[in-house]
Amino acid sequence: MEGQAEALSATALKLALGGDITALRLCLDRIAPARRDRPVTIDLPPVTTAADHAPALASVAAAVSEGEISPAEGKALGDVLELHRKAVETADLEQRIAALEERLTT
């Protein structure tokens, strides 16, 4: 099949344009693949510090338990919040270390 991609694509396109539903579906799936996820909108409290994550996760859990979002969507949101928490904590630690180093050098 090596080197035949162009010919196979042309044949699939010709079949699709001729009304072959399977070929049409194949072509359309390549042009506009189905979304595997959807945008999720839920009300979250402001999340700027590590301490803000517990109430945010509680909001996510409530949205899952009320059926507003799926458990998989809730896990994805939880993962995003966890990444954010780690980033906030890392930035905080960097600032604290820099402050300590500054005090040691003066």
Side-chain angles (χ1 to χ4, degrees):
M1 288 212 337
E2 193 171 311
Q4 299 299 316
E6 193 171 317
L8 288 170
S9 297
T11 300
L13 215 89
K14 184 176 182 180
L15 289 169
L17 292 172
D20 184 314
I21 298 298
T22 304
L24 180 59
R25 184 173 290 123
L26 177 72
C27 291
L28 288 176
D29 284 346
R30 298 305 179 268
I31 294 169
R35 283 187 68 140
R36 299 202 184 273
D37 58 5
R38 67 180 179 100
V40 175
T41 304
I42 63 170
D43 290 328
L44 290 179
V47 182
T48 54
T49 68
D52 295 335
H53 285 79
L57 284 170
S59 294
V60 172
V64 170
S65 69
E66 294 167 5
E68 189 177 340
I69 61 174
S70 73
E73 292 167 333
K75 174 155 181 5
L77 286 172
D79 291 347
V80 169
L81 286 168
E82 176 62 11
L83 287 171
H84 183 264
R85 183 193 61 79
K86 286 180 182 180
V88 167
E89 286 182 349
T90 300
D92 182 52
L93 285 172
E94 286 178 346
Q95 289 175 348
R96 292 170 64 188
I97 290 169
L100 286 171
E101 288 174 340
E102 178 67 28
R103 286 194 349 211
L104 288 174
T105 59
T106 58

